[in-house]
Amino acid sequence: MNVVLGVTGGIAAYKAVEITSRLKKAGFAVRVIMTRAAQEFVTPRPFAELSGERVVTSMWDDCTERHVEHIALADWADLLLVAPATANFIAKAAVGMADDMLTTVLLATKAPVMIAPAMNTDMLNNVATQKNIALLKERGVMIIEPAAGVLACGAVGAGRLPEPPTIVGEVKSFFDRRDNGVRSELINDCNGKLAGKKIIVTAGGTIAPIDPVRFIANRSGGKMGVATARAAAGAGANVVLVTGNITVALPTEPNIRLVSALTTDDMLKAVLAEFANADAVIMTAAVADYRVKDYSPQKIKKKANSFTLELVKNPDILRELGQQKQPGQILVGFAAETENLAEYAKRKLDEKNLDFIVANDVSRKDAGFDTDTNAAVIFYADGRAPEDFPLDSKDKLAGRIIRRLAEFF
Ligand code: PMT
């Protein structure tokens, strides 16, 4: 889950450092935007260290990783949290101004917005601020009520930024509420058909070790697989998530059991061990088709200018499952293609004896590997017309795949 944290210029800006740290520890990906005034109170460095990301401090930073940064950040966010939010920021938000990066992202994002006002009591109670807060509430902005106590200016009253654990608690309960909503929607849409079903999902890339320090890896961060596992769990299934080499945080749902399998051979064994009583398998993993013929148990020393690795074919896990599949078991594959998407995907559907295949064009920048979004075409073995799923978040695509899977039961 992605949180954009906006930090505005109040004395409580220092608490936003702890908020960043707690959000990261809770498993959120965090990008921080600081206003110019916020940088008068605290520097970007601790935010960068704790979030592991470059801190956005201006509209005019030289940005190499994102093309139009305010739109990229607005799209990336699952939640925009502004803590602390000054009276000035709240006023600008209320009238829809966009005169710096934070207000511009606020205007551009479709993500829910949560604001934690923090200021002097009189400024907070001023009719202008109260009207602005009321207007933001009317527009659906979530307001974390300020705490009361001794303020930095010496006054006693409301206006303190609540402590970081409270703010992070609000963020977590927002996502819990949202996930429960998604879950009950999924269970409804699936007519409860997946409740209690055993579904194996694979995620990430498998690796081919060369020696104790080197390996060849298939590209895949595991986002699509983890999203699929979470959607299946959300629909009430008991999920076995078999992970290869992944970079995404592992899910914590109680009905997802995690199994680690780094090489193709390990993944084959792990999947086969679970397959006999499984109702469905969804293979999103990018499985390495080849492994190194002669693994070196010692680190290979750097000598010659070039050296050749001989590769041998790995087993095809899905093909193996396709051969073993019993009536009632449903097999779903993914096809990662860079050309002839329909032709190659249909061939895999047929050759691996699948029920349907989710084909994605991995040459696109906004889809496939390591992106938050994906676009796909589903091809069915029962002769149904292919279905197009235009670009959307991987979570949404996963939900659609799980709804289609439920139709088989
Ligand atoms: O993890 P992300 O960064 O979010 O990226 C998601 C993704 C791009 C990895 C995912 O959407 C995807 O396309 N997964 C399939 C990757 C792949 O290996 O595709 P393929 O066309 O090479 O293989 C076809 C199918 O056979 C796949 O379901 C694959 O899991 C399976 N396979 C492939 C080779 C092999 N030896 N055994 C297999 O079971």
Side-chain angles (χ1 to χ4, degrees), residues 202-206 218-226 245-248 264 267 282-290 314-321 332-337 344 348 352 354 357-362 367-374 394 397:
T202 63
T206 61
N218 264 29
R219 258 185 84 185
S220 164
K223 275 189 187 155
M224 194 64 240
V226 168
N245 189 28
I246 65 169
T247 54
V248 70
T264 300
M267 190 170 273
I282 309 176
M283 289 281 304
T284 72
V287 182
D289 285 312
Y290 292 89
N314 265 330
D316 188 314
I317 304 172
L318 254 186
R319 192 184 286 261
E320 185 67 42
L321 297 177
V332 180
F334 268 66
E337 307 298 346
Y344 293 158
K348 287 172 187 170
K352 301 190 189 208
L354 310 179
I357 191 158
V358 183
N360 46 188
D361 176 353
V362 292
F369 299 112
D370 285 330
T371 51
D372 293 320
T373 49
N374 206 357
K394 284 186 173 167
L397 176 61

Side-chain angles (χ1 to χ4, degrees), residues 172-211:
K172 281 188 194 159
S173 70
F174 159 74
F175 280 110
D176 283 349
R177 285 194 306 276
R178 193 196 72 163
D179 287 354
N180 283 337
V182 170
R183 224 168 281 144
S184 57
E185 214 177 275
L186 259 167
I187 290 178
N188 267 346
D189 289 0
C190 296
N191 293 323
K193 285 177 173 175
L194 295 184
K197 291 274 185 288
K198 177 175 174 181
I199 300 180
I200 303 170
V201 179
T202 63
T206 61
I207 64 164
I210 298 169
D211 67 14

Side-chain angles (χ1 to χ4, degrees), residues 134-181:
L135 189 60
L136 292 177
K137 274 188 188 165
E138 240 172 64
R139 291 188 199 139
V141 172
M142 294 168 274
I143 304 289
I144 303 177
E145 292 302 329
V150 182
L151 305 178
C153 55
V156 179
R160 277 172 65 88
L161 184 71
E163 292 310 309
T166 308
I167 301 223
V168 174
E170 292 288 338
V171 170
K172 281 188 194 159
S173 70
F174 159 74
F175 280 110
D176 283 349
R177 285 194 306 276
R178 193 196 72 163
D179 287 354
N180 283 337

